[in-house]
Amino acid sequence: MLAKPICNITPFTLLDYPNKSACILWYAGCNMRCLYCYNPEIVLGKGVISFSETISFLKKRKGLLDAVVFSGGECLIHKNIVEQIKEVKALGFLVKIDTNGSNSKVVKQLLDNNLIDYVALDFKALKPSYNAITKSNLFDVFEEILDLLLVSTIPFEVRTTYHSELISDIELNEMLEFLEDKEYKGNYYIQHFQNNVETLEKLTPSSKITISRIEKSPNIRVVFRN
């Protein structure tokens, strides 16, 4: 594990944990190389903040923040992440995990020990496109995590970054059908790719998709971001 696993801390946000005030811990490193990733400095960089420094910061935020968001990069690839989350929970904070869906063993451990309160799960693509977009072969692990969350009692959301050159309208609707087949009920967030920002790979501009091109679902509410 990195001696200093955290790249940066966002000290306050009202946007990243539904209806809660929170801070965000940005963990360095990732086991995917998604073409559209906005955080190359985090994915490819090294941490500069130790966890002990982070705990000192959080102790000063008790009573001021409701929650702590573990994000990245990919926070769940870090060796001592379960122990670190346990320490944060012991301070009385709610814990949200932002995950790319690549470590089902850790997610199960966190769920079994009641260490997380909310999860944002990335749905990168369906299996045929997964490797090309993420440069990884981890779709089956993503599906395992989705299945774990579906039978858990904690709230969670599923989100997809949409780039018109990487995911077609047809595939996006197939992704929605996949979630329906899994009997997912909740919000499905479509995050439009932001043009003219630094990403891991240089991409052509993306056009936005409109709600009229998304099939209606009785149990899933499609929500656009950006």
Side-chain angles (χ1 to χ4, degrees):
M1 189 191 76
L2 293 170
K4 294 185 175 182
I6 297 164
C7 279
N8 194 12
I9 297 175
T10 299
F12 182 79
T13 176
L14 291 173
L15 300 176
D16 285 80
Y17 195 122
N19 304 312
K20 302 293 181 183
S21 61
C23 68
I24 308 173
L25 310 182
W26 299 95
Y27 277 73
C30 189
N31 52 352
M32 292 184 183
R33 292 293 182 267
C34 300
L35 304 178
Y36 49 65
C37 179
Y38 300 134
N39 298 317
E41 73 285 356
I42 295 177
V43 169
L44 304 176
K46 295 182 178 180
V48 295
I49 303 170
S50 69
F51 190 70
S52 61
E53 291 172 311
T54 303
I55 288 295
S56 296
F57 163 78
L58 291 176
K59 286 179 177 178
K60 296 174 183 176
R61 309 304 288 173
K62 289 179 67 174
L64 302 174
L65 295 175
D66 301 314
V68 176
V69 179
F70 286 73
S71 193
E74 174 54 37
C75 60
L76 299 187
I77 64 174
H78 288 266
K79 182 180 178 182
N80 295 329
I81 193 66
V82 174
E83 289 75 16
Q84 292 176 2
I85 290 172
K86 191 177 295 184
E87 282 193 55
V88 171
K89 285 288 289 181
L91 292 176
F93 293 105
L94 297 169
V95 168
K96 175 186 176 228
I97 298 296
D98 291 344
T99 180
N100 63 16
S102 62
N103 198 326
S104 56
K105 291 181 180 179
V106 170
V107 171
K108 187 176 189 307
Q109 188 175 354
L110 293 170
L111 290 171
D112 288 347
N113 290 279
N114 299 312
L115 292 176
I116 45 179
D117 303 285
Y118 194 93
V119 175
L121 177 63
D122 291 339
F123 186 3
K124 305 287 188 179
L126 291 170
K127 195 167 188 175
S129 303
Y130 204 86
N131 184 282
I133 290 177
T134 67
K135 304 302 178 185
S136 73
N137 189 27
L138 295 167
F139 178 85
D140 290 344
V141 182
F142 154 77
E143 189 171 4
E144 287 175 17
I145 292 173
L146 177 61
D147 289 341
L148 286 170
L149 292 170
L150 285 167
V151 297
S152 76
T153 58
I154 71 163
F156 73 100
E157 66 183 56
V158 179
R159 58 192 190 180
T160 293
T161 296
Y162 173 80
H163 189 294
S164 55
E165 296 299 315
L166 300 178
I167 298 176
S168 68
D169 294 5
I170 293 173
E171 182 170 8
L172 191 60
N173 280 301
E174 288 174 345
M175 292 167 74
L176 181 60
E177 290 173 12
F178 174 87
L179 293 174
E180 289 173 341
D181 290 343
K182 287 287 186 180
E183 299 185 357
Y184 172 67
K185 296 177 176 65
N187 290 337
Y188 179 32
Y189 291 98
I190 308 299
Q191 303 172 162
H192 284 114
F193 176 80
Q194 297 180 39
N195 295 316
N196 303 315
V197 297
E198 183 182 0
T199 53
L200 275 178
E201 297 287 337
K202 188 172 179 59
L203 298 173
T204 58
S206 173
S207 60
K208 291 188 176 182
I209 190 170
T210 62
I211 193 67
S212 63
R213 285 148 62 188
I214 303 294
E215 296 175 3
K216 291 184 178 180
S217 167
N219 297 312
I220 301 172
R221 177 172 172 252
V222 176
V223 180
F224 289 119
R225 285 175 173 160
N226 303 328

